[in-house]
Amino acid sequence: MTRKELLSFMRSERWATQASVTPYHGVQAAVVGIAVSDDFEIVFDTLTDSRKAKNLRANPSIAFVIGAIGEGVERTVQYEGIADMPSGDELRRIREVYFDVFPDGRERLTWAGLIHVRVKPTWIRYSNYAPQPPLIVEFDGSALRALVNQFP
């Protein structure tokens, strides 16, 4: 699995299920529209008073499942990371990543309380169950850093 192949798969999916932890150690999940940067950062928008935003301010740990298991589609990415809500130049940069996938996101900038969340990966697992044996590749620690730093 190359950097280019993994990015291509992750970018082929515009929607993902995200999960975060509530301040009382419960769980919350939602489907969000995602964009993926060249460094495997996931960017999505939400409202500042949404459950996910409140959860991430209290505990920035977040997980995603990207892809689906269905007829003829047996590939997924499980992704864990740390979320933040950047400002200044970083906010402008991640918004452009998001707007490349969701051009209508510019129109939502007028919504009261709209924020953009950036997630930096700490662990990624790609699974393709179509071949036998299945192809399952995990990236964490130094393997994840090497993947991010690979030439495109």
Side-chain angles (χ1 to χ4, degrees):
M1 163 88 2
T2 68
R3 177 181 193 275
K4 183 177 179 180
E5 290 168 333
L6 184 57
L7 275 173
S8 177
F9 174 70
M10 291 176 69
R11 288 175 171 165
S12 74
E13 299 288 335
R14 292 179 41 157
W15 305 96
T17 301
Q18 69 80 38
S20 57
V21 180
T22 71
Y24 304 102
H25 307 291
V27 294
Q28 179 269 328
V31 173
V32 294
I34 62 165
V36 181
S37 79
D38 289 342
D39 292 331
F40 294 93
E41 300 161 309
I42 291 179
V43 180
F44 65 94
D45 68 3
T46 190
L47 297 175
T48 193
D49 62 351
S50 68
R51 291 189 317 156
K52 69 183 80 57
K54 291 176 185 176
N55 294 346
L56 293 171
R57 280 192 293 278
N59 178 346
S61 297
I62 189 169
F64 294 88
V65 176
I66 301 167
I69 302 296
E71 191 66 39
V73 179
E74 300 172 334
R75 298 186 304 164
T76 65
V77 163
Q78 294 166 263
Y79 177 112
E80 295 175 2
I82 302 297
D84 67 358
M85 295 150 203
S87 59
D89 289 342
E90 275 303 289
L91 175 58
R92 284 186 281 283
R93 182 185 70 79
I94 67 161
R95 278 182 174 169
E96 289 307 315
V97 169
Y98 185 78
F99 297 152
D100 282 348
V101 177
F102 295 96
D104 62 322
R106 292 181 194 279
E107 297 167 21
R108 288 193 293 280
L109 290 174
T110 61
W111 292 8
L114 184 81
I115 59 173
H116 287 85
V117 178
R118 168 185 57 191
V119 182
K120 293 183 178 182
T122 57
W123 178 82
I124 298 173
R125 179 181 183 179
Y126 172 83
S127 301
N128 183 347
Y129 296 99
Q132 293 303 318
L135 173 62
I136 300 172
V137 184
E138 289 188 20
F139 303 94
D140 65 358
S142 60
L144 185 55
R145 284 188 297 280
L147 178 70
V148 169
N149 293 321
Q150 263 183 24
F151 291 104

